[in-house]
Amino acid sequence: MKGLLTKDFLTIRKKYGIPRVVMDIFIIIALMFVLKGTGAIYISFLLIPIEVMSMVMSLATCDQQWKWGKYAVSLPVTKAQIVKSRYTFAVIAACVGFLVSLAVNTVSYFCYPKYEYGFYLFVAAASLAITLLFLSFVLPSNYSLGENAGFAVMIILVVLLIVLGVWSNMTGNAIMRFVVDNFDMCLLIFFGATVFIGILSCTLSIWLFRRKYI
């Protein structure tokens, strides 16, 4: 699995490179200055999940173009290990996104102290959970119907997130107020559900991959 992970990281480095990293940093800085206090929320809940999902989609695209699956099953690794290595990469990418979100939220707290710091910590943690949750739907779609299905699922999830944000804003941020009032319970439920769905997602993806390369 170490070799499989190395292959994914090298692929992403080749696909993205320094120009993409510089562009992402510029976008983050621009959003922080333009949106000010709400910039951290948009970056955490929208930009970072999209960026991580796009990385995973890039790997799926490369796999399909290079016919990687046919080659991978000939390697001395199990089909489950092949799928788990992709999930491991996705989790690592999500954790990197969490660190970026945490750094952005910390800067936002000192530059635009609109809320208590605990709120910014929660936003970073929620960003990680949302990213993992979205990946749990995107990855099985890639293994079942290919990259186009994964891309369609990603678009649907982003649209649903935007609609949820608009609805929350129209109702006076009722969702955020409920979370703040019941923080411990919401945190436990949200992350418990994320882990449970992630396990189901990985199990489904392994089954789909085995079915494709019997």
Side-chain angles (χ1 to χ4, degrees):
M1 284 183 62
K2 182 180 178 181
L4 295 173
L5 275 173
T6 301
K7 169 257 180 188
D8 284 348
F9 280 112
L10 291 176
T11 301
I12 288 299
R13 189 176 71 176
K14 182 178 180 180
K15 292 281 290 184
Y16 280 66
I18 299 299
R20 178 63 180 266
V21 174
V22 173
M23 183 183 72
D24 289 342
I25 294 174
F26 177 78
I27 292 174
I28 289 174
I29 294 174
L31 287 175
M32 289 180 66
F33 278 103
V34 173
L35 300 176
K36 296 183 179 180
T38 58
I41 297 175
Y42 284 99
I43 293 170
S44 298
F45 287 157
L46 198 59
L47 181 61
I48 289 177
I50 291 176
E51 189 70 13
V52 174
M53 284 191 293
S54 68
M55 287 185 181
V56 175
M57 289 299 302
S58 294
L59 291 174
T61 301
C62 291
D63 286 352
Q64 189 164 326
Q65 291 176 345
W66 301 339
K67 302 187 185 304
W68 164 252
K70 292 181 179 180
Y71 174 75
V73 295
S74 67
L75 298 173
V77 291
T78 65
K79 295 181 177 70
Q81 287 177 318
I82 295 172
V83 175
K84 287 178 181 178
S85 69
R86 180 57 50 81
Y87 272 79
T88 302
F89 173 87
V91 171
I92 293 173
C95 290
V96 172
F98 166 73
L99 295 177
V100 173
S101 176
L102 186 61
V104 169
N105 293 352
T106 301
V107 173
S108 296
Y109 170 73
F110 287 107
C111 294
Y112 311 105
K114 187 176 181 180
Y115 307 102
E116 295 292 332
Y117 186 64
F119 172 80
Y120 292 94
L121 289 176
F122 167 76
V123 169
S127 174
L128 173 62
I130 288 174
T131 303
L132 292 174
L133 187 64
F134 282 8
L135 289 170
S136 297
F137 289 97
V138 169
L139 283 165
S141 302
N142 287 334
Y143 284 111
S144 61
L145 299 174
E147 57 175 319
N148 291 331
F151 182 76
V153 170
M154 182 179 74
I155 296 298
I156 292 172
L157 292 172
V158 171
V159 170
L160 289 175
L161 185 62
I162 294 174
V163 170
L164 181 63
V166 171
W167 178 78
S168 178
N169 187 55
M170 292 176 61
T171 56
N173 293 321
I175 296 177
M176 296 303 296
R177 284 191 280 106
F178 177 81
V179 170
V180 171
D181 293 338
N182 304 273
F183 181 75
D184 293 338
M185 180 186 71
C186 290
L187 195 64
L188 181 63
I189 292 174
F190 199 29
F191 276 92
T194 301
V195 172
F196 178 72
I197 293 174
I199 293 174
L200 287 181
S201 172
C202 186
T203 303
L204 176 60
S205 293
I206 292 173
W207 179 79
L208 290 169
F209 190 77
R210 284 174 174 168
R211 184 183 179 185
K212 186 175 181 180
Y213 297 101
I214 294 177

